[in-house]
Amino acid sequence: MDKCIAWTKAHGHTERPDQTIWEVFEEERPKLIPYRGRFDGFHALPASVSKTCLVRFDNNKYSVSASAVGRPVDIHAYAERVVIRQDGRIVAGTSTPLWARAQPYTIRGITCRFWLASRALCAMARRSRTGCCQRRWSG
């Protein structure tokens, strides 16, 4: 965040060359409306449901209701959950992060709840409430 602010203070605004981006932001800040609601950001992907009532997403398989078989669904991947919708109706979902459900294991003194834990997944998990790794990756 600090690097972003420093960059905006150092670079000029495209529409107002006599001011920096930060100066224009500070000028417009009183006019901005504060957002008080919950942030509802997700990554949406289309998918198809297999004959065995499964949807594959991010190397995981999610079971959906039988009424969804053979028809397209939308996967909404939030930071803390995955929701699968069909025609606006929820046909499957999980509210538990994947690393919270997996069994922990230890490799080279690092306790993690992934079989093939990547550094990016463990970094993301450390920032979540449930956590994944008890120690940082070394190297």
Side-chain angles (χ1 to χ4, degrees), residues 95-131:
S95 60
T96 307
L98 295 175
W99 55 81
R101 294 187 314 210
Q103 294 298 317
Y105 75 99
T106 304
I107 291 180
R108 291 189 232 142
I110 300 170
T111 300
C112 198
R113 293 184 181 177
F114 290 104
W115 176 245
L116 296 172
S118 70
R119 293 178 184 182
L121 287 176
C122 282
M124 182 176 71
R126 276 195 306 274
R127 289 189 291 265
S128 76
R129 285 185 221 158
T130 56

Side-chain angles (χ1 to χ4, degrees), residues 16-42:
R16 299 181 192 174
D18 57 321
Q19 291 180 301
T20 64
I21 297 170
W22 183 258
E23 291 170 344
V24 173
F25 171 71
E26 286 296 322
E27 184 180 309
E28 294 176 354
R29 188 187 292 237
K31 299 172 192 159
L32 297 175
I33 300 170
Y35 183 74
R36 298 191 196 315
R38 184 173 162 249
F39 178 70
D40 194 31
F42 57 87

